[in-house]
């Protein structure tokens, strides 16, 4: 059964490969402005070791629960929670609670030793049981909110199957071998150290969490194993952190700065004014107009810094189910070659970005392998004419989708600039549609959506962590979903209902309605599902056996339960059920195992692991699509961070040159850090803002 993959959003970081294949440097040293005299209103350093730093505007902290992905990544991983591994000040992966580890010869089993001197803020030792408790809390089949993709659980053997209730605990790739020994087994060889630095991979004090199951992360209950602990917290308001005296740090690493208190305050739309008024000590400069203001005021310029962010903004084929000229690759290539990036970066973004024609940034491992489309307006016009639309004659209105300015202030202006260039260079008329955050997220990170007209989405690609899956910076997002890049119009129209209804309507007619509590309570009602499951499993087993050996190991990992075993586990639950409700629940589980259903109430994603979805996918995909899917699986399941960079780049090169993705620029973060304060780290991963606040220092 194919491995579930994480969706990715937001920003990314530039990393340089070291001589041993590790990270010689992720990002570059912050660039500081001139040493002009500081303005009196903004020159005084934070007093008594207190630093005030802003959360991302519009993404204030809603919870500190690390299992709920969101802006809490800014403090959960490393600042108030410490895991086996974390990031240093150069965004490199370094050991934190890990005293050492071994990896089995087959590359599947990681055995970690936990430092025996690590303590919670209440003085209790941090043990393997705390990690195991945190992970099982997310994995519990009874926990519908478990977001496994945001942690190492995304790659743990049978994690998704256990969460779905289709395999027993004994087949889960998690074990505690002793108080200070944790063992993690993956389905396939996979680099997991970056995953272990994610917020969702942090341990939780089991005793405290069980005593206060709904608000264990709130003062006065929360206990930290990291450099800081929580003094006070108001959801969507201010978070006050104080130094944790019980934190000992990892030998040989810089573990923290000297700040004694950190106040994480909600960001506003006027960060520079807040900085000048001494309302905050570290703020992000978010707009070109603010940047120009800072650059023309020497006192502020002296406190201005720049750090890599490198979220790649691009035009994303929008997967419309409506017939259009965009199904012709010549048209998509013409659009890709007609875009001129420098005016967008300079005139729209005020120079706060760098142009790119690939899904890589300077120094990124795939940069030397990836090949984008050239900027060539004359050739673009020739391609469009060859496709039958000389000068844009007869070409229908092209739609450009962008997230509303209140959520992302840059995307609509970028869409407007692209629209102007397409009109000037190709004679193509456009219409810009603004989408709210949920709609834009579904279009960017999901499959075909209802109501979408032919065109492109102004999307942002990035990554959550240092994982092989990050190699393409999110540009291969569409390969995860059937009906996105490389599919026929008939295919897209067939799968469209999968994404836009909780349960596929055609499957309801065939198998019954999961919302009907009377369905599945008798074995005779299972008959349609049983018949299809048997046929689908037989087909998928044959299809898998026909693939190259290297791919078979990824699609059907050794030691994982077979599709038949997973199906039989569900049937056994039905047979053991004592009530009609329990029998119905088992039937719904079987329904989801067989048929497509939407995983989010707002649409967007589907259960790509359902048998019917896999069969239709395999039967109707082109050779190109099959290669893309397998290349993606191959590089994502690499045993180290960058060994499959060439494979990852091969995938993106084809997507770019066929015009499904058109990279425009990568971003840069500018921020103000008050004189006397050091250690602020702009978050180079998803969500932006600042992270790793434990390194803040006051002179």
């Amino acid at each position: 059964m194919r491995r579930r993959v994480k969706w990715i959003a937001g920003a990314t970081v530039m990393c340089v490969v070291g001589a041993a294949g590790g990270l010689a440097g992720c990002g570059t040293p912050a660039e500081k402005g001139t040493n002009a005299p500081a303005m009196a209103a903004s020159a005084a350093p934070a007093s008594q070791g207190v630093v005030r730093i802003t959360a991302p505007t519009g993404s204030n902290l809603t919870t500190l629960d690390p299992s709920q992905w969101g802006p809490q990544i800014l403090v959960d991983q490393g600042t108030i929670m410490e895991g086996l591994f974390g990031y240093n000040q150069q965004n490199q992966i370094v050991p934190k609670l890990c005293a050492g580890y071994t990896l089995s010869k087959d590359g599947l089993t990681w055995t970690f030793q936990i430092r025996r001197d690590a303590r919670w803020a209440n003085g209790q030792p941090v043990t393997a049981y705390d990690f195991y408790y945190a992970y099982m809390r997310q994995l519990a089949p009874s926990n519908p909110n478990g977001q496994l993709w945001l942690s190492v659980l995304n790659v743990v053997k049978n994690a998704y199957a256990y969460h779905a209730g289709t395999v027993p605990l004994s087949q889960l790739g998690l074990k505690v071998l002793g108080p200070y020994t944790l063992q993690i087994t993956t389905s396939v060889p996979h680099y997991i150290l970056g995953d272990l630095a994610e917020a969702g991979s942090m341990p939780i004090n089991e005793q405290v969490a069980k005593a206060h199951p709904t608000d264990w992360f709130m003062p006065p209950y929360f206990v930290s194993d990291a450099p800081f602990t929580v003094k006070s917290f108001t959801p969507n308001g201010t978070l006050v952190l104080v130094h944790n005296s019980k934190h000992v740090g990892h030998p040989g690493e810089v573990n923290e700065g000297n700040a004694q208190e950190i106040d994480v305050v909600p960001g506003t739309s006027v960060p520079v004014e807040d900085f000048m008024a001494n309302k905050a000590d570290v703020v992000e400069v978010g707009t070109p107009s603010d940047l120009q203001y800072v650059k023309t005021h020497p006192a502020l310029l002296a406190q201005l810094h720049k750090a890599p962010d490198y979220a790649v903004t691009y035009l994303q084929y929008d997967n419309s189910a409506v017939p259009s000229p965009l199904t012709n690759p010549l048209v998509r290539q013409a659009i890709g070659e007609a875009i001129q990036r420098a005016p967008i970066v300079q005139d729209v973004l005020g120079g706060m970005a760098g142009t790119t024609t690939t899904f890589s940034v300077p120094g990124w491992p795939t940069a030397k392998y990836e090949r984008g489309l050239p900027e060539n307006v004359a050739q673009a016009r020739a391609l469009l004419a060859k496709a039958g639309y000389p000068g844009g004659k007869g070409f229908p209105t092209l739609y450009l989708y962008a997230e509303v300015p209140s959520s992302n202030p840059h995307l609509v202006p970028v869409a407007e600039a692209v629209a102007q260039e397409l009109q000037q260079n190709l004679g193509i008329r456009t219409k810009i549609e603004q989408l709210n955050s949920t709609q834009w997220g579904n279009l960017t990170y999901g499959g075909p959506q209802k109501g979408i007209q032919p065109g492109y989405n102004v999307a942002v690609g990035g990554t959550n962590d240092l994982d092989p899956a990050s190699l393409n910076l999110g540009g291969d997002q569409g390969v995860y979903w059937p009906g996105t890049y490389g599919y026929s119009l008939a295919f897209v129209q067939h799968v469209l209902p999968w994404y836009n209804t909780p349960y596929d309507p055609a499957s309801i007619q065939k198998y019954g309605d999961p919302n009907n509590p009377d369905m599945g309570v008798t074995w005779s009602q299972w008959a349609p599902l049983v018949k299809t499951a048997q046929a689908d499993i037989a087909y998928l087993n044959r299809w898998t056996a026909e693939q190259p050996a290297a791919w078979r190991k990824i699609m059907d990992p050794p030691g994982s339960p077979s599709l038949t075993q997973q199906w039989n586990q569900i049937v056994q639950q039905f047979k053991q059920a004592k009530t009609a409700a329990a029998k119905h629940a088992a039937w719904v589980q079987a329904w989801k195992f067989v048929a497509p259903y939407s995983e989010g109430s707002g649409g967007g994603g589907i259960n790509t692991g359902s048998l019917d979805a896999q069969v239709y996918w395999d039967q109707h995909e082109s050779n190109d699509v099959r290669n893309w899917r397998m290349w993606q699986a191959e590089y994502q399941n690499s045993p180290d961070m960058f060994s499959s960079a060439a494979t990852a780049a091969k995938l993106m090169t084809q997507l770019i040159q066929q015009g499904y993705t058109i990279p425009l620029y990568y971003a840069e973060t500018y921020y103000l850090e008050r004189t006397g304060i050091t250690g602020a780290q702009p978050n180079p991963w998803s969500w932006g803002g600042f992270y790793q606040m434990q390194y803040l220092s006051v002179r």
Side-chain angles (χ1 to χ4, degrees):
M1 197 168 187
R2 293 189 180 88
R3 184 174 77 86
R4 286 281 299 278
V5 292
K6 64 177 74 176
W7 62 266
I8 28 190
T12 134
V13 71
M14 179 180 74
C15 300
V16 181
V17 184
L23 299 179
C26 295
T28 57
E31 296 178 12
K32 191 172 182 180
T34 63
N35 293 318
M39 184 183 305
S42 61
S47 62
Q48 300 177 346
V50 178
V51 178
R52 298 157 299 172
I53 189 169
T54 55
T57 304
S59 299
N60 298 325
L61 298 166
T62 57
T63 177
L64 299 178
D65 185 342
S67 70
Q68 302 304 304
W69 187 260
Q72 62 267 27
I73 187 179
L74 306 177
V75 292
D76 278 354
Q77 59 179 53
T79 304
I80 63 173
M81 294 181 176
E82 192 163 76
L84 291 169
F85 287 82
Y87 293 97
N88 64 13
Q89 292 178 285
Q90 290 74 45
N91 299 318
Q92 298 168 314
I93 295 295
V94 294
K96 292 297 183 179
L97 294 184
C98 180
Y101 70 89
T102 59
L103 178 61
S104 61
K105 290 183 179 180
D106 61 7
L108 299 176
T109 301
W110 303 68
T111 303
F112 296 95
Q113 300 299 321
I114 298 171
R115 284 170 35 213
R116 295 175 182 248
D117 60 344
R119 293 290 183 271
W120 294 101
N122 61 8
Q124 294 175 341
V126 182
T127 69
Y129 298 107
D130 295 314
F131 283 92
Y132 187 79
Y133 172 77
Y135 296 167
M136 295 308 298
R137 180 173 172 268
Q138 298 179 56
L139 282 167
S142 60
N143 178 14
N145 297 318
Q147 301 180 45
L148 311 188
W149 55 267
L150 57 78
S151 71
V152 71
L153 298 178
N154 189 58
V155 296
V156 166
K157 179 181 177 180
N158 292 328
Y160 284 96
Y162 176 79
H163 186 61
T166 60
V167 301
L169 178 61
S170 60
Q171 296 185 33
L172 181 66
L174 286 175
K175 290 182 180 179
V176 174
L177 302 184
Y180 298 97
T181 306
L182 179 70
Q183 189 174 88
I184 298 176
T185 300
T186 59
S187 299
V188 296
H190 187 87
Y191 173 88
I192 68 171
L193 302 188
D195 300 294
L196 289 170
E198 284 190 332
S201 298
M202 301 295 108
I204 295 174
N205 186 292
E206 180 176 1
Q207 180 178 322
V208 173
K210 285 185 174 179
H212 307 281
T214 60
D215 55 359
W216 59 269
F217 53 82
M218 293 289 289
Y221 312 125
F222 177 76
V223 292
S224 169
D225 68 332
F228 286 83
T229 192
V230 179
K231 179 180 180 180
S232 65
F233 174 50
T234 302
N236 295 309
T238 298
L239 169 68
V240 178
L241 309 177
V242 292
H243 183 259
N244 175 15
S245 61
K246 294 294 195 300
H247 182 256
V248 295
H250 195 285
E253 299 291 342
V254 175
N255 295 287
E256 57 192 89
N258 66 9
Q260 295 300 300
E261 178 178 310
I262 300 172
D263 298 349
V264 185
V265 299
T268 72
S269 60
V270 288
V272 175
E273 288 89 336
D274 291 342
F275 184 84
M276 295 173 63
N278 278 316
K279 293 181 180 179
D281 303 306
V282 184
V283 300
E284 185 174 345
V285 180
T287 66
S289 58
D290 275 353
L291 180 60
Q292 294 309 309
Y293 180 86
V294 169
K295 287 184 174 180
T296 55
H297 289 74
L300 290 173
L301 181 60
Q303 299 170 93
L304 178 68
H305 302 258
K306 182 175 73 171
D309 181 38
Y310 302 104
V312 176
T313 298
Y314 64 106
L315 298 183
Q316 176 191 45
Y317 186 65
D318 67 14
N319 320 320
S320 172
V322 179
S324 83
L326 287 180
T327 57
N328 186 336
L330 294 178
V331 171
R332 299 192 304 271
Q333 290 164 353
I335 291 172
E337 295 191 17
I339 302 299
Q340 296 172 294
R341 293 159 177 80
I344 296 175
V345 167
Q346 295 303 321
D347 300 339
V348 178
L349 303 176
M352 299 177 69
T355 63
T356 182
T357 60
T358 65
F359 277 87
S360 61
V361 297
W364 192 252
T366 59
K368 62 182 178 181
Y369 303 111
E370 238 178 270
R371 298 292 180 268
L373 288 173
E375 289 187 12
N376 191 325
V377 174
Q379 185 167 291
R381 290 169 178 166
L383 288 169
L384 193 64
K386 186 176 180 180
Y389 305 98
K393 184 178 180 180
F395 200 95
T397 298
L398 187 76
Y399 281 69
L400 295 175
Y401 294 92
E403 191 175 17
V404 292
S406 59
S407 298
N408 190 319
H410 304 303
L411 299 191
V412 169
V414 168
E416 293 170 344
V418 169
Q420 182 178 359
E421 291 189 354
L422 291 179
Q423 174 68 50
Q424 291 177 345
N425 296 339
L426 295 179
I428 292 178
R429 296 166 299 166
T430 57
K431 182 177 182 180
I432 296 173
E433 294 280 356
Q434 298 186 27
L435 304 178
N436 64 38
S437 183
T438 298
Q439 294 169 330
W440 180 81
N442 289 337
L443 187 57
T444 303
Y445 309 117
Q449 301 295 297
K450 287 183 178 178
I452 296 298
Q453 297 299 313
Y456 284 87
N457 173 39
V458 183
V460 180
T463 180
N464 295 324
D465 59 7
L466 281 178
D467 182 278
S470 71
L471 281 170
N472 280 332
L473 304 183
D476 57 355
Q477 184 67 40
V479 180
Y480 296 147
W481 310 107
T484 49
Y485 308 149
Y487 294 91
S488 68
L489 183 62
F491 188 108
V492 177
Q493 291 170 335
H494 179 86
V495 304
L496 184 64
W498 298 0
Y499 295 93
N500 294 275
T501 51
Y503 299 104
D504 174 42
S507 298
I508 289 177
Q509 291 185 353
K510 186 175 181 181
Y511 306 125
D513 189 352
N515 292 311
N516 182 352
D518 296 326
M519 282 300 303
V521 298
T522 65
W523 183 245
S524 61
Q525 293 173 321
W526 281 63
L529 284 174
V530 172
K531 181 179 179 181
T532 297
Q534 292 173 342
D536 283 356
I537 291 172
Y539 171 83
L540 291 170
N541 287 341
R542 289 194 304 271
W543 189 89
T544 301
E546 294 169 356
Q547 306 311 309
W551 292 354
R552 288 201 305 270
K553 292 179 181 179
I554 297 173
M555 293 183 294
D556 188 16
S560 297
S562 67
L563 295 176
T564 297
Q565 290 172 326
Q566 294 180 60
W567 171 256
N568 289 340
Q569 177 72 19
I570 300 173
V571 171
Q572 188 64 24
Q573 291 180 20
F574 169 81
K575 292 181 178 179
Q576 295 174 348
K578 303 299 183 183
T579 66
K583 292 178 184 291
H584 170 72
W587 178 82
V588 171
Q589 194 172 0
W591 198 102
K592 292 181 176 181
F593 188 73
V594 172
Y597 69 97
S598 176
E599 295 187 270
S601 59
I606 60 167
N607 175 28
T608 56
S610 66
L611 300 181
D612 282 353
Q614 290 188 58
V615 169
Y616 189 83
W617 208 348
D618 293 340
Q619 288 178 336
H620 296 88
E621 67 186 0
S622 66
N623 287 333
D624 269 354
V625 171
R626 187 193 69 141
N627 287 337
W628 298 342
R629 292 170 62 198
M630 294 305 120
W631 293 341
Q632 185 184 63
E634 183 179 336
Y635 86 76
Q636 288 187 346
N637 292 289
S638 173
D640 60 70
M641 185 57 210
F642 297 133
S643 65
S644 295
T647 300
K650 180 168 58 174
L651 166 60
M652 285 317 303
T653 294
Q654 289 199 9
L655 293 181
I656 295 170
Q657 293 191 350
Q658 292 191 29
Y660 288 115
T661 60
I662 304 173
L664 300 176
Y665 60 86
Y666 57 86
E668 295 171 321
T669 295
Y670 287 85
Y671 64 101
L672 290 168
E673 185 178 56
R674 196 171 305 284
T675 300
I677 292 175
T678 60
Q681 286 187 238
N683 183 5
W685 317 106
S686 305
W687 303 99
F690 300 94
Y691 86 141
Q692 305 302 312
M693 299 179 190
Q694 67 269 24
Y695 298 119
L696 286 167
S697 289
V698 179
R699 291 198 300 269

